[in-house]
Amino acid sequence: MVRGLGFLVAAILGLSACSVHNADLADCTTYVVAGFRKIADERSQRFLGKVQEDTARCRGGERAVAFRSFPWVDWQNYWAVGDSASKAPGPSGEHVHLNPNGRGVDGALLDLEYQRIESIRFNLFDNNGTFEQYVQGRDHLDGPALKVWDQMRLPRNNPFYPAVGGDGPQLCRGELIRARTLTGICNDIRNPLMGSTGQMFARNVEFDTIFPELGNNPVVKNRHGERIGLLKPDPQVISRRLLTRTQSDPAKCNNGQGLPENSPEANCDYKKAPFLNVLAAFWVQFMTHDWFSHLVEGSNGTERMTMGCTTQLEAGVERPLTAEQVRQLNCRPDDRIDKALISVETEPSNFKHGGKEYLTRAPKTTENKNTAWWDASQVYGFDETSRRRVKRDPDDPAKLLLVEEPSGQAYLPLLQGVDPMNPQWAGQESVAFPDNWSVGLSFFHNVFAREHNLFVDAFRARAAATPDADCGLRNPAAPSRVIHYKDVTEDELFEATRLVIAAEIAKIHTTESTTQLLYNEPLFLSMNANWHGLLKDFPQAREVLEKIVAVNFGRSNDAKDATQWYSVFASGSGIFGLGNHVYADDPVFAKFDPAKKDLWDLANPDHVNGGINHFGSPFNFPEEFVSVYRLHSMVPDLLEYRDLKLDPNRVNAKIPMLETVRGKATQMIRDGSLANWGISMGRQRLGLLTLQNSPAFLQNLAVPRLSDGSGKIDVVALDIIRDREHGIPRFNEFRRQYGLKQLTSFDDFIDRRLPMDSPERTEQRRLIGILREVYGQHRCDAAKVITKAQVNDNDAPITDCLGHSDGSMIDNIEDVDVVVGMLTEFARPHGFAISETQFQVFILNASRRLFSDRFFTSGFRPEFYTQLGYDWVINNGAEKMIEKGMPNGHQIEVMPLKRVLMRTIPELASELAPVINAFDPWARDRGEYYSLQWKPRNGAESDGAFTR
Ligand code: HEM
């Protein structure tokens, strides 16, 4: 079957042996004739992102072959996956899959798909009690083919328990399925509890490999010995030595506080990403507040704990810090923080299957206090308390309340005494998720509140023009009753608008933000594939894929089919909108075809729920996903403030980030206007995710509620502590678990593609020296097996010596914390702001949150969104607009956030006109094919940012 698929894909991609004609003919022929590699049956046989030599040569020539021996994924060295310099000389062109550049990009896409399929296969570990069924199967079905679980039933104490069927079979219907519910229940109508507020975070790694600090089994003990603990190595020492930004002129930075009166003469050095702006950093923060939270109303438990600044390794031995060392490090032993909230910590039970022993859940579990759905819950609420902060306009309850300021601008109202609030939120806008408020969050919340109201206005205008027309909406309680525009209630319109806003946000994130965060051609294609389908420009190929899936795999109960093939074929047709049309001949993956009769029926639960796929494991984010979103290095210490009306090319003030958090963020936005903050954050580059690039202000953040210690915390150290509290495996095992190659020494981090004497490589060596001092070395013992996730190339177990000779001194690479390891990954694919390890986590979970969500698949229909809302999401507004030219060789629609900004902040029209992607620094000349150059576009030559 795999071979069959290989030839099908080869045919579609034009990779037939007879058509390959260049110097690499022999290699390409071998690779095609051998068929595509088999999807691994065992964890230890995984792809690891590494290809055979002939495949590498076919897709990237000798350069790709040369770098196969390094741990990093091979596709980054294929042709045409970087900027113009990565292209092979000779003929090329659009959709030419036969020449080297086409083979490079297609090869990368195939590698990415393998990684997604294998991650779906090996990395799903539910913590809500279904894992045993996933492994053992149930009712004669393989676990990965299961679609319904008792654990996802609403419990008796849920107010909707009777409505979904109580003790009998549970099925959501009527009002409960019309729109996104407050707590996220009934997204999957047969698994009402899935993804709702308070469900356990899942895991992507085996249960017995997490919480390595507990040393719960011999393999974990072998891996780390006695070397690690909650505060071992010391998190503040890691923060200060490995993560602190160095300053060329400390006085001008003033520890992140800038100069008096926000003088533009201030300067805090930080390593900048030329292809991403500060808006992108806050966009991610805005997203994480939608997806997950560990805290309740901004707090953890009441119990406090210390945060390190007490010990460090000296010649490999842990020693207490002297007062002088504390002073030099500039850390604080008296920082205190509340302990993480743990939900269950009783010992999990075991079971046996296929001769192996498994835990039924993680040794400790934690709850996602947010809905896991991409439902804009940071705006609209995720429980009763957060909903009370969401203010609707009393004059038109379909709208969110916006208050007009004397400036004439409308903003969200502030929190009032009657609102549920943590005292440190005083002075902020009243929103569902107000914690860690920043000027960027204030910006996006106001923008999307305006967008909500603009959509309502557009709907009302349509209703006024055609009051008796069918608006597309239906009430599932009376599915055949047409709802005319004039009859839509305020509540119905409010909820439909929420659906539209959530889908717009998901589209922005998938097609605009991620394609800039991962700025290269394969990622542009694959992210657009998640949305529109990889083969949208190949209608014939798509039809073939859809038919095969519908006939063979879509309803299959065979676990392999249900997981592997679903994913690969969805990459052809797109995840968004899967199952939202049903035709007699292809019921699962059909895309809109006006020539056919659409049988989709709101009264048929199989149609309502038909497009989703959880791959046998109920959806929630895994703890590992939270970890890879700890992106605090992106935030600069000083914000470069510009005034649109004066001179957009001039920075008028350098405002310390500290002056733009919590209530001050709200005031800043009002004083400066969304337009000025838009251009300021739109033009400024964000911080690279790398070592010694964390913001000083976050290392010294005053937290009023923690007055019993120093009153401050080091958020950068806290990132490390929280990961350890949540049981994230350390970096090397994390990679092995995710199907990536392990490292065998700290030197593996160094990017060997750089010339030996280049300044970058010298700097990398310097940083690796510090890493070695902080994490240390030990004398290895080749008798100790340290992992079950992978084996060596010769099938021998991986031992403590990691291939070095027994008894030699080796780096403590196993102990490196995930956040540190990710920041140390210097070798990255072109245009990757994040590391390949982080990306591996996204490949799995970013697709899953689309695959699992009814409102992005079979429920993306006018019956829920209204016809206007459905079109609004597809067209990025009232009508589709096409961008001028062919950015990076593609004709593209004007991207969705650019459209939202044009609508909600019309003052930005001229500034936004030349912008292609709203997350690319707005005044940058994007140059040719995925260029990362830092050059001004026409009209921005006088912008001083380009000379700094
Ligand atoms: C003004 C800016 C920011 C401040 C003051 C801030 C502050 C904090 C604090 C204090 C925590 C720790 C909460 C705890 O576990 O007790 C935290 C967690 C976190 N932050 Fe930030 N942050 C900021 C910006 C960002 C940005 C830009 C991102 C992403 C790009 C981000 C991502 C995260 C994530 C993923 C967590 C973990 C959340 C959880 O455990 O549920 N933060 N932040």
Side-chain angles (χ1 to χ4, degrees):
M1 183 54 68
V2 171
R3 220 181 140 85
L5 168 75
F7 281 109
L8 173 71
V9 177
I12 289 162
L13 298 184
L15 272 175
S16 63
C18 60
S19 56
V20 177
H21 54 83
N22 65 25
D24 308 306
L25 175 72
D27 301 289
C28 295
T29 308
T30 324
Y31 140 64
V32 171
V33 168
F36 286 72
R37 71 181 300 284
K38 197 174 172 309
I39 307 291
D41 282 325
E42 293 291 330
R43 190 176 299 281
S44 58
Q45 299 161 353
R46 285 179 75 165
F47 168 46
L48 308 184
K50 308 301 287 181
V51 296
Q52 299 295 316
E53 185 175 331
D54 50 5
T55 307
R57 188 172 288 109
C58 174
R59 296 172 177 180
E62 293 311 320
R63 184 169 181 273
V65 173
F67 291 106
R68 279 180 63 244
S69 57
F70 300 117
W72 316 107
V73 293
D74 283 337
W75 69 261
Q76 61 182 306
N77 299 309
Y78 297 167
W79 279 305
V81 306
D83 59 14
S84 308
S86 69
K87 287 187 172 176
S92 80
E94 267 302 278
H95 308 313
V96 176
H97 300 280
L98 315 180
N99 67 35
N101 296 328
R103 296 200 304 266
V105 172
D106 292 344
L109 288 173
L110 281 177
D111 287 3
L112 294 174
E113 189 53 49
Y114 274 110
Q115 286 183 321
R116 176 160 74 177
I117 295 171
E118 291 196 351
S119 298
I120 288 173
R121 182 136 196 218
F122 295 112
N123 290 95
L124 301 183
F125 299 87
D126 173 53
N127 248 332
N128 286 294
T130 71
F131 182 66
E132 190 171 351
Q133 300 164 52
Y134 181 73
V135 175
Q136 312 244 46
R138 195 190 67 214
D139 306 332
H140 309 295
L141 289 177
D142 280 352
L146 294 176
K147 295 179 169 64
V148 184
W149 302 267
D150 282 350
Q151 288 80 356
M152 294 295 117
R153 293 167 58 89
L154 287 193
R156 278 169 181 269
N157 62 1
N158 188 294
F160 298 102
Y161 178 73
V164 299
D167 284 343
Q170 292 195 346
L171 178 73
C172 303
R173 53 189 117 211
E175 281 302 319
L176 281 175
I177 73 166
R178 294 195 78 170
R180 295 187 179 277
T181 57
L182 176 58
T183 59
I185 59 166
C186 289
N187 188 312
D188 179 333
I189 66 176
R190 293 200 166 88
N191 294 288
L193 201 57
M194 191 191 299
S196 63
T197 306
Q199 286 285 285
M200 300 297 166
F201 278 110
R203 306 299 307 220
N204 278 169
V205 298
E206 290 169 289
F207 290 141
D208 57 5
T209 202
I210 57 182
F211 292 98
E213 292 78 10
L214 301 178
N216 272 347
N217 60 64
V219 174
V220 170
K221 277 191 190 136
N222 285 348
R223 194 185 311 141
H224 301 289
E226 299 294 320
R227 299 187 304 267
I228 63 167
L230 183 62
L231 298 178
K232 253 164 77 169
D234 192 300
Q236 283 198 56
V237 173
I238 295 172
S239 165
R240 299 291 161 167
R241 295 210 59 202
L242 277 166
L243 306 177
T244 304
R245 288 178 178 151
T246 49
Q247 296 302 327
S248 56
D249 186 347
K252 279 191 168 177
C253 179
N254 190 18
N255 233 346
Q257 319 246 12
L259 296 177
E261 292 168 22
N262 299 331
S263 162
E265 295 307 311
N267 178 51
C268 288
D269 289 329
Y270 67 107
K271 300 170 192 167
K272 308 173 182 88
F275 55 99
L276 270 180
N277 60 23
V278 169
L279 279 182
F282 291 119
W283 174 263
V284 178
Q285 195 190 18
F286 183 56
M287 289 301 90
T288 60
H289 289 184
D290 180 347
W291 302 329
F292 54 75
S293 171
H294 283 94
L295 285 74
V296 179
E297 293 291 281
S299 300
N300 286 285
T302 47
E303 210 182 326
R304 299 275 199 267
M305 61 181 182
T306 57
M307 300 180 72
C309 186
T310 45
T311 62
Q312 71 177 0
L313 287 184
E314 283 173 23
V317 181
E318 191 183 14
R319 301 209 188 279
L321 290 173
T322 63
E324 177 54 19
Q325 285 168 329
V326 167
R327 195 190 61 76
Q328 278 175 8
L329 283 165
N330 199 17
C331 61
R332 292 178 302 269
D334 49 352
D335 279 11
R336 297 288 179 273
I337 189 69
D338 35 22
K339 283 190 177 175
L341 284 173
I342 300 294
S343 190
V344 182
E345 50 187 326
T346 52
E347 209 176 309
S349 53
N350 297 317
F351 65 95
K352 275 202 170 145
H353 179 79
K356 285 191 207 156
E357 199 157 311
Y358 295 86
L359 296 177
T360 47
R361 61 160 168 79
K364 299 182 196 178
T365 60
T366 43
E367 282 172 32
N368 187 350
K369 302 293 184 188
N370 211 325
T371 68
W373 305 115
W374 216 342
D375 55 0
S377 54
Q378 78 278 43
V379 175
Y380 298 101
F382 41 89
D383 59 16
E384 292 296 341
T385 309
S386 59
R387 180 48 76 89
R388 281 170 53 204
R389 290 188 288 267
V390 181
K391 303 284 163 61
R392 288 167 65 170
D393 186 343
D395 294 331
D396 181 353
K399 289 186 171 177
L400 288 165
L401 179 61
L402 288 175
V403 183
E404 198 168 309
E405 292 281 304
S407 63
Q409 296 276 332
Y411 298 105
L412 286 162
L414 303 192
L415 283 163
Q416 303 297 317
V418 290
D419 295 318
M421 64 184 280
N422 183 323
Q424 71 192 35
W425 301 337
Q428 293 180 200
E429 286 94 334
S430 190
V431 301
F433 197 120
D435 204 29
N436 294 330
W437 199 241
S438 63
V439 70
L441 289 177
S442 173
F443 179 84
F444 282 119
H445 273 270
N446 277 294
V447 161
F448 282 95
R450 288 186 181 185
E451 174 72 356
H452 177 109
N453 289 1
L454 283 174
F455 178 76
V456 173
D457 285 340
F459 190 91
R460 297 247 185 261
R462 183 71 63 91
T466 57
D468 297 317
D470 176 1
C471 77
L473 199 66
R474 293 289 181 274
N475 183 346
S480 54
R481 184 171 64 84
V482 170
I483 301 182
H484 306 285
Y485 272 100
K486 64 174 190 228
D487 297 328
V488 176
T489 67
E490 285 146 351
D491 280 349
E492 284 172 339
L493 183 52
F494 181 85
E495 295 301 343
T497 308
R498 175 183 183 173
L499 279 172
V500 171
I501 298 295
E504 267 189 314
I505 285 176
K507 189 174 183 187
I508 290 168
H509 190 83
T510 307
T511 64
E512 192 168 359
S513 149
T514 310
T515 56
Q516 198 62 36
L517 185 90
L518 310 166
Y519 190 51
N520 62 42
E521 177 73 354
L523 266 297
F524 174 84
L525 291 174
S526 55
M527 294 318 294
N528 276 284
N530 273 0
W531 200 265
H532 303 287
L534 183 60
L535 304 173
K536 81 176 164 120
D537 298 327
F538 299 87
Q540 285 163 323
R542 190 177 76 203
E543 224 169 87
V544 174
L545 293 182
E546 286 172 357
K547 282 215 171 86
I548 293 172
V549 171
V551 173
N552 296 303
F553 311 116
R555 299 260 175 245
S556 172
N557 283 331
D558 178 274
K560 246 195 215 168
D561 291 349
T563 53
Q564 298 175 16
W565 306 123
Y566 203 97
S567 167
V568 75
F569 287 111
S571 72
S573 58
I575 305 172
F576 197 79
L578 270 181
N580 68 350
H581 292 90
V582 176
Y583 303 122
D585 52 347
D586 49 3
V588 175
F589 279 72
K591 281 280 173 179
F592 180 57
D593 182 347
K596 291 185 186 165
K597 183 173 164 45
D598 185 2
L599 306 174
W600 194 96
D601 180 3
L602 182 57
N604 183 341
D606 285 343
H607 291 181
V608 172
N609 229 29
I612 54 174
N613 195 334
H614 314 303
F615 303 104
S617 193
F619 173 70
N620 208 310
F621 289 108
E623 276 293 357
E624 291 71 25
F625 187 76
V626 179
S627 174
V628 300
Y629 269 103
R630 297 186 182 278
L631 305 179
H632 289 120
S633 310
M634 284 183 162
V635 186
D637 279 296
L638 300 176
L639 287 173
E640 298 174 356
Y641 183 74
R642 295 162 192 268
D643 191 319
L644 193 61
K645 288 206 197 87
L646 295 177
D647 176 2
N649 289 339
R650 202 177 75 218
V651 171
N652 295 324
K654 297 261 188 80
I655 305 179
M657 268 298 307
L658 260 184
E659 297 302 315
T660 66
V661 295
R662 307 194 187 113
K664 291 178 180 172
T666 306
Q667 199 52 47
M668 279 287 167
I669 287 283
R670 279 163 159 76
D671 292 347
S673 81
L674 287 179
N676 286 340
W677 278 106
I679 185 178
S680 301
M681 294 189 285
R683 284 206 178 189
Q684 186 175 354
R685 288 161 289 174
L686 56 61
L688 276 175
L689 292 164
T690 191
L691 292 184
Q692 295 195 337
N693 203 27
S694 293
F697 88 95
L698 281 180
Q699 289 176 310
N700 305 297
L701 189 70
V703 181
R705 74 186 160 85
L706 300 171
S707 51
D708 46 343
S710 64
K712 289 185 175 176
I713 53 168
D714 179 340
V715 177
V716 178
L718 184 59
D719 278 337
I720 294 167
I721 296 173
R722 289 290 188 235
D723 269 8
R724 293 177 185 174
E725 285 184 287
H726 297 150
I728 304 294
R730 304 268 167 127
F731 179 73
N732 227 19
E733 177 68 5
F734 190 94
R735 280 180 62 87
R736 286 189 290 253
Q737 288 281 332
Y738 271 100
L740 292 169
K741 264 199 115 86
Q742 64 179 13
L743 276 61
T744 58
S745 83
F746 295 141
D747 294 328
D748 279 344
F749 279 116
I750 291 170
D751 188 351
R752 308 288 166 94
R753 293 170 300 189
L754 294 167
M756 280 300 269
D757 55 353
S758 69
E760 292 99 321
R761 196 155 167 173
T762 308
E763 172 65 359
Q764 289 175 12
R765 278 197 295 266
R766 180 186 76 82
L767 292 165
I768 291 304
I770 304 175
L771 188 70
R772 191 165 281 127
E773 283 171 19
V774 171
Y775 280 96
Q777 296 185 311
H778 72 282
R779 201 163 291 287
C780 76
D781 179 350
K784 289 182 171 169
V785 174
I786 61 162
T787 184
K788 291 190 290 181
Q790 292 184 14
V791 290
N792 285 308
D793 290 344
N794 62 1
D795 286 342
I798 293 173
T799 73
D800 183 40
C801 287
L802 293 168
H804 303 279
S805 48
D806 192 17
S808 58
M809 285 300 279
I810 66 158
D811 289 335
N812 292 340
I813 182 75
E814 295 302 327
D815 302 347
V816 173
D817 293 271
V818 162
V819 282
V820 177
M822 291 180 314
L823 296 175
T824 317
E825 282 182 58
F826 302 122
R828 293 181 188 180
H830 176 87
F832 259 46
I834 57 169
S835 71
E836 70 168 40
T837 309
Q838 286 167 300
F839 175 60
Q840 188 78 353
V841 181
F842 295 166
I843 292 180
L844 172 60
N845 295 290
S847 327
R848 243 165 93 69
R849 70 182 162 213
L850 292 177
F851 274 127
S852 280
D853 192 323
R854 169 165 69 88
F855 291 106
F856 294 147
T857 52
S858 37
F860 179 57
R861 290 192 51 103
E863 285 85 342
F864 300 106
Y865 282 75
T866 75
Q867 186 64 48
L868 188 72
Y870 178 85
D871 294 341
W872 191 275
V873 175
I874 289 181
N875 296 329
N876 302 333
E879 74 299 321
K880 193 172 280 306
M881 290 168 67
I882 298 298
E883 196 61 72
K884 286 197 286 292
M886 297 277 282
N888 294 325
H890 299 282
Q891 190 187 63
I892 56 169
E893 53 192 35
V894 177
M895 292 197 185
L897 180 59
K898 176 172 166 179
R899 294 287 302 278
V900 169
L901 293 177
M902 285 160 61
R903 276 193 293 273
T904 55
I905 319 176
E907 308 92 292
L908 287 175
S910 63
E911 173 72 14
L912 284 170
V915 170
I916 301 293
N917 184 310
F919 299 105
D920 198 343
W922 290 1
R924 179 174 92 99
D925 176 351
R926 281 165 61 102
E928 291 300 307
Y929 194 73
Y930 299 100
S931 161
L932 306 183
Q933 67 185 10
W934 184 236
K935 268 175 54 181
R937 61 158 167 74
N938 283 344
E941 293 83 355
S942 63
D943 185 339
F946 289 95
T947 53
R948 284 196 290 275

